[in-house]
Amino acid sequence: MNSRLAGLQTYPFQKLAGLTRGVTPVPGKAAIRLSIGEPQHEAPRFVLEEIGTQLYTLSSYPTTQGLPALREAIASWANRRFHLERIALDPQRHVLPASGTREALFSIVQALIDPADHARPVVIMPNPFYQIYEGAALLAGAEPYFLNTVAQSGYRMDFDSVPADIWKRTRLLFLCSPGNPTGAVLGREEFAHIIELAERHDFVIASDECYSEIYFDEESPPPGILEVASELGIADFRRCVAFHSLSKRSNLPGLRSGFVAGDGQIMGDYLQYRTYHGCSLPGLAQAASIKAWGDETHVRANRDLYRAKFDAVLEILAPVLDVAQPEAGFYLWPRTPQDDETFARGLYASENVLVLPGSYLSRTASGINPGCERVRIALVPPLAECIEAAHRIRHHVESL
Ligand SMILES: Cc1ncc(COP(=O)(O)O)c(C=O)c1O
């Protein structure tokens, strides 16, 4: 076997299964799962109906590059959403469909990291982080370098703390905005600063923006890397690659549909990589995705549902827990009154509510593990269930 596999961590949900094994939750309380970020709002009906009309596409192989109509739908969505005017996405050169961003976040690292790079390549990522970033770096033979994102600094990565030797070896930097689990949103100036760092130290920015459509103020949607690159006039989106998904935006996690867009040179080489990698989207998923990217009404309605849940849940939890409305996304990331594993196990045992211990999403870096004594609470179930869960969490905190 590939010896690098031994470097992979147990995935957080397996760790959680281990933590709760042998624990029998109190009887009489229905299970509520807030541990996994799987949207549970209804998928848009018109998208599901489209799938029904496209069954005939199963009798042909889809291409890696996807239908021109899909790339056009994606490019026109992103050009509109991120005001890409000065430099706009060309559907032929800058866009590739992906079977969900997870697959693409993993595979782009394999395509970008050069095994012949003798200076041990570094991939910088936030800490806590979406676990694929680390696994992808390790399997590509790169060294993950974690930048802690903690409450005191507004969950910002401290780029000034990166030593010169690390910058020299950095080939790729992951951003996650809006952040999972912190909900922090990078501003235009921060993106611009990171683009400047990428030029100075010659690395690629992989900007994971799969929560970009879950926000609270309709007047100020989170900006994205392509938007800032376009404003700055970065030709061909050099060094900038963004990842977007229908999973959270359109409640279609099972469709496995997202896209990668940006640097034309990288997209060309990455297309070649993907031809061998073999993750083309089935024709019916492509047709459904075209419909989904073309509609904003269901996305606005989706945000209304999250807004209502945050309002209700924060009112219940704020008196007993250090919770705050995130800038975007659908997670709460509160500090816990006990260590995160003890808290999560106890909550499961006494209230039958599952949340994710924060340390399952983070590593110790610079002497700190920023996930310790925090839990991630995904407000994905329907409103009534989120309210019930909030009452039970409050009850549990009060009983400690
Ligand atoms: C930060 C982040 N990136 C990417 C993904 C992957 O999403 P998908 O593969 O469904 O597009 C997730 C899923 O939870 C996530 O939280």
mmCIF file of all heavy atoms in Angstrom, residues 37 99-103 105 130 133 176 178 180 208 210-211 244-248 253 256-258 331 376, ligand 1:
data_model
loop_
_atom_site.group_PDB
_atom_site.id
_atom_site.type_symbol
_atom_site.label_atom_id
_atom_site.label_comp_id
_atom_site.label_asym_id
_atom_site.label_seq_id
_atom_site.Cartn_x
_atom_site.Cartn_y
_atom_site.Cartn_z
ATOM 1 N N GLY A 37 -22.650 18.400 8.460
ATOM 2 C CA GLY A 37 -23.134 19.571 7.709
ATOM 3 C C GLY A 37 -23.876 19.184 6.453
ATOM 4 O O GLY A 37 -23.541 19.655 5.367
ATOM 5 N N SER A 99 -17.513 16.660 -9.280
ATOM 6 C CA SER A 99 -18.500 15.804 -8.594
ATOM 7 C C SER A 99 -18.566 16.195 -7.124
ATOM 8 O O SER A 99 -18.225 15.420 -6.230
ATOM 9 C CB SER A 99 -18.098 14.338 -8.711
ATOM 10 O OG SER A 99 -18.118 13.948 -10.041
ATOM 11 N N GLY A 100 -18.967 17.422 -6.881
ATOM 12 C CA GLY A 100 -18.917 17.983 -5.531
ATOM 13 C C GLY A 100 -17.541 18.597 -5.326
ATOM 14 O O GLY A 100 -16.565 18.186 -5.973
ATOM 15 N N THR A 101 -17.443 19.579 -4.446
ATOM 16 C CA THR A 101 -16.145 20.232 -4.255
ATOM 17 C C THR A 101 -15.161 19.329 -3.522
ATOM 18 O O THR A 101 -13.955 19.465 -3.686
ATOM 19 C CB THR A 101 -16.288 21.548 -3.469
ATOM 20 O OG1 THR A 101 -17.093 21.308 -2.328
ATOM 21 C CG2 THR A 101 -16.901 22.626 -4.302
ATOM 22 N N ARG A 102 -15.664 18.404 -2.734
ATOM 23 C CA ARG A 102 -14.762 17.543 -1.956
ATOM 24 C C ARG A 102 -13.760 16.831 -2.870
ATOM 25 O O ARG A 102 -12.548 16.847 -2.642
ATOM 26 C CB ARG A 102 -15.623 16.515 -1.221
ATOM 27 C CG ARG A 102 -14.844 15.535 -0.390
ATOM 28 C CD ARG A 102 -15.817 14.497 0.174
ATOM 29 N NE ARG A 102 -15.130 13.547 0.992
ATOM 30 C CZ ARG A 102 -15.453 13.247 2.253
ATOM 31 N NH1 ARG A 102 -16.465 13.843 2.826
ATOM 32 N NH2 ARG A 102 -14.784 12.356 2.931
ATOM 33 N N GLU A 103 -14.296 16.228 -3.887
ATOM 34 C CA GLU A 103 -13.464 15.509 -4.845
ATOM 35 C C GLU A 103 -12.459 16.464 -5.507
ATOM 36 O O GLU A 103 -11.285 16.137 -5.693
ATOM 37 C CB GLU A 103 -14.416 14.849 -5.839
ATOM 38 C CG GLU A 103 -13.860 14.342 -7.128
ATOM 39 C CD GLU A 103 -13.815 15.382 -8.230
ATOM 40 O OE1 GLU A 103 -14.842 15.962 -8.620
ATOM 41 O OE2 GLU A 103 -12.698 15.599 -8.713
ATOM 42 N N LEU A 105 -11.364 19.452 -4.360
ATOM 43 C CA LEU A 105 -10.382 19.970 -3.394
ATOM 44 C C LEU A 105 -9.274 18.947 -3.185
ATOM 45 O O LEU A 105 -8.106 19.287 -2.994
ATOM 46 C CB LEU A 105 -11.072 20.264 -2.048
ATOM 47 C CG LEU A 105 -12.007 21.472 -2.037
ATOM 48 C CD1 LEU A 105 -12.964 21.414 -0.846
ATOM 49 C CD2 LEU A 105 -11.205 22.770 -2.024
ATOM 50 N N TYR A 130 -11.554 21.992 6.920
ATOM 51 C CA TYR A 130 -12.231 20.881 6.250
ATOM 52 C C TYR A 130 -11.174 19.798 5.993
ATOM 53 O O TYR A 130 -10.126 20.068 5.394
ATOM 54 C CB TYR A 130 -12.853 21.386 4.945
ATOM 55 C CG TYR A 130 -13.630 20.360 4.184
ATOM 56 C CD1 TYR A 130 -14.630 19.608 4.805
ATOM 57 C CD2 TYR A 130 -13.387 20.146 2.841
ATOM 58 C CE1 TYR A 130 -15.353 18.666 4.096
ATOM 59 C CE2 TYR A 130 -14.108 19.205 2.123
ATOM 60 C CZ TYR A 130 -15.089 18.467 2.760
ATOM 61 O OH TYR A 130 -15.800 17.527 2.052
ATOM 62 N N TYR A 133 -8.446 18.995 3.079
ATOM 63 C CA TYR A 133 -7.235 19.768 2.766
ATOM 64 C C TYR A 133 -5.986 19.024 3.256
ATOM 65 O O TYR A 133 -4.993 18.909 2.539
ATOM 66 C CB TYR A 133 -7.231 21.159 3.429
ATOM 67 C CG TYR A 133 -8.474 22.012 3.281
ATOM 68 C CD1 TYR A 133 -8.741 23.016 4.213
ATOM 69 C CD2 TYR A 133 -9.359 21.853 2.228
ATOM 70 C CE1 TYR A 133 -9.853 23.840 4.096
ATOM 71 C CE2 TYR A 133 -10.487 22.673 2.104
ATOM 72 C CZ TYR A 133 -10.730 23.645 3.054
ATOM 73 O OH TYR A 133 -11.843 24.456 2.957
ATOM 74 N N CYS A 176 -10.895 29.075 3.264
ATOM 75 C CA CYS A 176 -12.261 28.589 3.379
ATOM 76 C C CYS A 176 -13.090 29.781 3.845
ATOM 77 O O CYS A 176 -13.026 30.180 5.006
ATOM 78 C CB CYS A 176 -12.330 27.436 4.383
ATOM 79 S SG CYS A 176 -13.957 26.682 4.468
ATOM 80 N N PRO A 178 -17.059 31.553 3.202
ATOM 81 C CA PRO A 178 -17.246 31.500 4.643
ATOM 82 C C PRO A 178 -16.638 30.223 5.241
ATOM 83 O O PRO A 178 -16.662 29.179 4.604
ATOM 84 C CB PRO A 178 -18.770 31.497 4.802
ATOM 85 C CG PRO A 178 -19.298 32.106 3.536
ATOM 86 C CD PRO A 178 -18.333 31.717 2.469
ATOM 87 N N ASN A 180 -15.764 26.992 7.478
ATOM 88 C CA ASN A 180 -16.286 25.848 8.226
ATOM 89 C C ASN A 180 -15.197 25.476 9.197
ATOM 90 O O ASN A 180 -14.100 25.141 8.751
ATOM 91 C CB ASN A 180 -16.576 24.681 7.268
ATOM 92 C CG ASN A 180 -16.877 23.384 7.999
ATOM 93 O OD1 ASN A 180 -16.986 23.357 9.204
ATOM 94 N ND2 ASN A 180 -16.980 22.288 7.255
ATOM 95 N N ASP A 208 -11.939 27.757 -1.080
ATOM 96 C CA ASP A 208 -13.132 26.913 -0.908
ATOM 97 C C ASP A 208 -14.277 27.832 -0.468
ATOM 98 O O ASP A 208 -14.286 28.329 0.653
ATOM 99 C CB ASP A 208 -12.814 25.851 0.150
ATOM 100 C CG ASP A 208 -13.997 24.934 0.432
ATOM 101 O OD1 ASP A 208 -15.089 25.163 -0.106
ATOM 102 O OD2 ASP A 208 -13.801 23.979 1.217
ATOM 103 N N CYS A 210 -17.682 27.041 -0.704
ATOM 104 C CA CYS A 210 -18.918 26.280 -0.899
ATOM 105 C C CYS A 210 -20.056 26.737 0.026
ATOM 106 O O CYS A 210 -21.199 26.348 -0.177
ATOM 107 C CB CYS A 210 -18.658 24.792 -0.843
ATOM 108 S SG CYS A 210 -18.398 24.158 0.771
ATOM 109 N N TYR A 211 -19.753 27.615 1.020
ATOM 110 C CA TYR A 211 -20.837 28.191 1.844
ATOM 111 C C TYR A 211 -21.180 29.621 1.420
ATOM 112 O O TYR A 211 -21.879 30.336 2.154
ATOM 113 C CB TYR A 211 -20.436 28.181 3.331
ATOM 114 C CG TYR A 211 -20.327 26.787 3.909
ATOM 115 C CD1 TYR A 211 -19.121 26.099 3.890
ATOM 116 C CD2 TYR A 211 -21.444 26.152 4.447
ATOM 117 C CE1 TYR A 211 -19.016 24.808 4.384
ATOM 118 C CE2 TYR A 211 -21.351 24.866 4.951
ATOM 119 C CZ TYR A 211 -20.136 24.207 4.917
ATOM 120 O OH TYR A 211 -20.044 22.923 5.414
ATOM 121 N N HIS A 244 -16.897 25.934 -5.819
ATOM 122 C CA HIS A 244 -18.298 26.189 -5.448
ATOM 123 C C HIS A 244 -19.110 24.921 -5.606
ATOM 124 O O HIS A 244 -18.734 24.027 -6.369
ATOM 125 C CB HIS A 244 -18.877 27.316 -6.313
ATOM 126 C CG HIS A 244 -18.403 28.659 -5.907
ATOM 127 N ND1 HIS A 244 -19.050 29.408 -4.956
ATOM 128 C CD2 HIS A 244 -17.318 29.371 -6.294
ATOM 129 C CE1 HIS A 244 -18.383 30.540 -4.784
ATOM 130 N NE2 HIS A 244 -17.330 30.544 -5.576
ATOM 131 N N SER A 245 -20.255 24.904 -4.915
ATOM 132 C CA SER A 245 -21.013 23.660 -4.824
ATOM 133 C C SER A 245 -22.505 23.928 -4.808
ATOM 134 O O SER A 245 -22.952 24.964 -4.312
ATOM 135 C CB SER A 245 -20.596 22.973 -3.516
ATOM 136 O OG SER A 245 -21.390 21.855 -3.279
ATOM 137 N N LEU A 246 -23.263 22.976 -5.312
ATOM 138 C CA LEU A 246 -24.724 23.050 -5.174
ATOM 139 C C LEU A 246 -25.199 22.398 -3.878
ATOM 140 O O LEU A 246 -26.375 22.479 -3.540
ATOM 141 C CB LEU A 246 -25.403 22.354 -6.369
ATOM 142 C CG LEU A 246 -25.293 23.077 -7.714
ATOM 143 C CD1 LEU A 246 -25.936 22.236 -8.813
ATOM 144 C CD2 LEU A 246 -25.970 24.448 -7.647
ATOM 145 N N SER A 247 -24.291 21.738 -3.165
ATOM 146 C CA SER A 247 -24.714 20.969 -1.985
ATOM 147 C C SER A 247 -25.408 21.842 -0.956
ATOM 148 O O SER A 247 -26.499 21.511 -0.479
ATOM 149 C CB SER A 247 -23.515 20.282 -1.344
ATOM 150 O OG SER A 247 -22.905 19.415 -2.260
ATOM 151 N N LYS A 248 -24.769 22.960 -0.588
ATOM 152 C CA LYS A 248 -25.332 23.827 0.457
ATOM 153 C C LYS A 248 -26.241 24.868 -0.179
ATOM 154 O O LYS A 248 -27.282 25.196 0.373
ATOM 155 C CB LYS A 248 -24.219 24.525 1.244
ATOM 156 C CG LYS A 248 -22.936 23.724 1.431
ATOM 157 C CD LYS A 248 -23.031 22.646 2.469
ATOM 158 C CE LYS A 248 -21.688 21.915 2.576
ATOM 159 N NZ LYS A 248 -21.735 20.746 3.425
ATOM 160 N N PRO A 253 -26.925 17.860 -1.707
ATOM 161 C CA PRO A 253 -25.633 17.206 -1.428
ATOM 162 C C PRO A 253 -25.487 15.857 -2.131
ATOM 163 O O PRO A 253 -24.376 15.436 -2.420
ATOM 164 C CB PRO A 253 -25.637 17.055 0.101
ATOM 165 C CG PRO A 253 -27.070 17.125 0.506
ATOM 166 C CD PRO A 253 -27.739 18.033 -0.483
ATOM 167 N N ARG A 256 -23.952 15.556 -5.975
ATOM 168 C CA ARG A 256 -22.500 15.635 -6.155
ATOM 169 C C ARG A 256 -22.176 16.554 -7.313
ATOM 170 O O ARG A 256 -21.645 16.123 -8.354
ATOM 171 C CB ARG A 256 -21.853 14.245 -6.354
ATOM 172 C CG ARG A 256 -22.230 13.185 -5.360
ATOM 173 C CD ARG A 256 -22.085 13.614 -3.900
ATOM 174 N NE ARG A 256 -20.744 14.044 -3.533
ATOM 175 C CZ ARG A 256 -20.494 15.221 -2.949
ATOM 176 N NH1 ARG A 256 -21.464 16.088 -2.668
ATOM 177 N NH2 ARG A 256 -19.273 15.539 -2.631
ATOM 178 N N SER A 257 -22.505 17.803 -7.157
ATOM 179 C CA SER A 257 -22.271 18.747 -8.247
ATOM 180 C C SER A 257 -21.702 20.056 -7.724
ATOM 181 O O SER A 257 -22.276 20.693 -6.836
ATOM 182 C CB SER A 257 -23.581 19.014 -8.990
ATOM 183 O OG SER A 257 -23.366 19.954 -10.015
ATOM 184 N N GLY A 258 -20.565 20.411 -8.277
ATOM 185 C CA GLY A 258 -19.932 21.683 -7.953
ATOM 186 C C GLY A 258 -19.083 22.088 -9.132
ATOM 187 O O GLY A 258 -19.201 21.508 -10.215
ATOM 188 N N TYR A 331 -23.192 26.972 10.724
ATOM 189 C CA TYR A 331 -22.660 26.362 11.945
ATOM 190 C C TYR A 331 -22.616 27.342 13.118
ATOM 191 O O TYR A 331 -22.370 28.527 12.919
ATOM 192 C CB TYR A 331 -21.227 25.869 11.715
ATOM 193 C CG TYR A 331 -21.099 24.821 10.643
ATOM 194 C CD1 TYR A 331 -20.483 25.121 9.432
ATOM 195 C CD2 TYR A 331 -21.592 23.535 10.845
ATOM 196 C CE1 TYR A 331 -20.352 24.157 8.442
ATOM 197 C CE2 TYR A 331 -21.469 22.566 9.858
ATOM 198 C CZ TYR A 331 -20.852 22.882 8.662
ATOM 199 O OH TYR A 331 -20.734 21.931 7.680
ATOM 200 N N ARG A 376 -18.901 21.915 17.141
ATOM 201 C CA ARG A 376 -19.551 22.427 15.934
ATOM 202 C C ARG A 376 -20.996 21.935 15.918
ATOM 203 O O ARG A 376 -21.258 20.735 16.023
ATOM 204 C CB ARG A 376 -18.826 21.947 14.683
ATOM 205 C CG ARG A 376 -19.323 22.685 13.434
ATOM 206 C CD ARG A 376 -18.732 22.130 12.170
ATOM 207 N NE ARG A 376 -19.336 20.858 11.823
ATOM 208 C CZ ARG A 376 -19.061 20.160 10.726
ATOM 209 N NH1 ARG A 376 -18.168 20.623 9.870
ATOM 210 N NH2 ARG A 376 -19.652 19.017 10.483
HETATM 211 C C1 LIG B 1 -15.662 23.592 3.821
HETATM 212 C C2 LIG B 1 -16.232 22.538 2.944
HETATM 213 N N1 LIG B 1 -15.730 22.378 1.717
HETATM 214 C C3 LIG B 1 -16.215 21.441 0.878
HETATM 215 C C4 LIG B 1 -17.231 20.607 1.256
HETATM 216 C C5 LIG B 1 -17.693 19.541 0.296
HETATM 217 O O1 LIG B 1 -18.928 19.789 -0.232
HETATM 218 P P1 LIG B 1 -19.443 19.059 -1.527
HETATM 219 O O2 LIG B 1 -18.447 17.993 -1.893
HETATM 220 O O3 LIG B 1 -20.761 18.502 -1.175
HETATM 221 O O4 LIG B 1 -19.502 20.116 -2.591
HETATM 222 C C6 LIG B 1 -17.794 20.719 2.534
HETATM 223 C C7 LIG B 1 -18.875 19.812 2.965
HETATM 224 O O5 LIG B 1 -19.328 19.774 4.052
HETATM 225 C C8 LIG B 1 -17.277 21.711 3.392
HETATM 226 O O6 LIG B 1 -17.760 21.884 4.626
#
